[in-house]
Amino acid sequence: MANKILVVDDEPNIVLSLEFLMKQAGFQVRTASDGEAALAAIAAEPPDLVLLDVMMPRKNGYEVCQAIRANPAWKGTRIIMLTAKGREVEREKGLALGADDYITKPFSTQEVVERVRELLAEAD
């Protein structure tokens, strides 16, 4: 069965490109455009991995990451944070809150697919 990916970003073009990319790579994909919608989507059907933007309305990526990690039922959900903020302190904050990986924008689409595959392979 295909792994389930949730793409969370408030930028429609990024959502479209990541959704297309993940479907091409053989994943089942759902999307959310803000933090609250992301948590509702995860509660409805926990994904295997979340591609999570940091800067979003109605709960930022850090808050969503914390909420996922605080729920024992979502313990196995992998999180890759995506952000335009490439400073080391931002990366450390994301990883400290429980993100499995951190990719800065603009990113290589191939790199994102490879990182997703690596994390999901580790989870199996």
Side-chain angles (χ1 to χ4, degrees):
M1 192 167 78
N3 285 100
K4 294 179 281 215
I5 310 282
L6 178 64
V7 174
V8 186
D9 202 306
D10 61 333
E11 181 58 52
N13 292 338
I14 291 174
V15 171
L16 278 173
S17 68
L18 285 172
E19 182 179 21
F20 176 78
L21 197 64
M22 293 298 127
K23 283 182 177 175
Q24 288 291 103
F27 300 112
Q28 286 180 25
V29 184
R30 292 180 300 141
T31 63
S33 59
D34 65 56
E36 286 184 6
L39 290 173
I42 294 166
E45 185 183 352
D48 297 301
L49 185 140
V50 180
L51 286 170
L52 181 61
D53 184 30
V54 171
M55 302 302 291
M56 293 183 299
R58 302 175 65 214
K59 288 204 190 310
N60 66 39
Y62 296 128
E63 293 169 313
V64 173
C65 183
Q66 265 186 305
I68 292 170
R69 290 299 176 239
N71 186 329
W74 302 338
K75 192 176 79 150
T77 301
R78 300 294 197 181
I79 302 169
I80 298 179
M81 299 196 87
L82 304 171
T83 184
K85 293 185 172 201
R87 297 200 336 255
E88 192 58 32
V89 67
E90 303 289 342
R91 177 183 170 81
E92 287 172 11
K93 181 178 179 181
L95 295 174
L97 289 172
D100 295 289
D101 207 344
Y102 197 98
I103 299 175
T104 53
K105 297 175 186 175
F107 45 76
S108 146
T109 54
Q110 195 55 45
E111 176 191 19
V112 174
V113 172
E114 284 170 18
R115 294 254 189 94
V116 166
R117 285 196 171 122
E118 284 169 18
L119 276 175
L120 291 172
E122 287 172 18
D124 287 343

